[in-house]
């Protein structure tokens, strides 16, 4: 896997998909848990979640990075 520099004051499109396009969210509770984890992570000052889109087999996040890790 290649390493990508995450730079402060940049906006990133982060996405992931299930293997062979298989579902990663099976029921409503899976979406709720994922959003809960996003809220926990983005309470930190490192980055802000600008928007997200969750679908049964993948998700997209638009993230603004504030400062270096």
């Amino acid at each position: 896997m290649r390493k990508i520099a995450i730079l402060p004051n940049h906006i990133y499109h982060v996405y992931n998909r299930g293997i062979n396009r298989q579902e990663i969210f099976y029921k409503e509770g899976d979406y709720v848990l994922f959003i809960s984890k996003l809220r926990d992570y983005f309470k930190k000052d490192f980055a802000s979640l600008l928007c997200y889109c969750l679908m049964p087999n993948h998700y997209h996040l638009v993230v603004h990075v504030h400062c270096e890790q």
Side-chain angles (χ1 to χ4, degrees), residues 2-55:
R2 70 180 186 170
K3 288 190 174 192
I4 298 174
I6 298 176
L7 303 173
N9 299 314
H10 282 70
I11 295 175
Y12 294 91
H13 173 214
V14 179
Y15 60 93
N16 203 354
R17 183 186 318 239
I19 296 172
N20 295 323
R21 299 184 183 210
Q22 293 176 347
E23 289 188 359
I24 57 174
F25 302 108
Y26 295 99
K27 56 187 183 228
E28 185 176 341
D30 297 337
Y31 293 99
V32 172
L33 178 62
F34 187 84
I35 292 169
S36 172
K37 296 296 181 184
L38 285 176
R39 284 185 181 153
D40 289 345
Y41 180 79
F42 285 102
K43 284 181 183 175
K44 300 174 183 160
D45 292 333
F46 172 70
S48 296
L49 181 63
L50 300 178
C51 63
Y52 64 89
C53 182
L54 309 180
M55 287 148 286

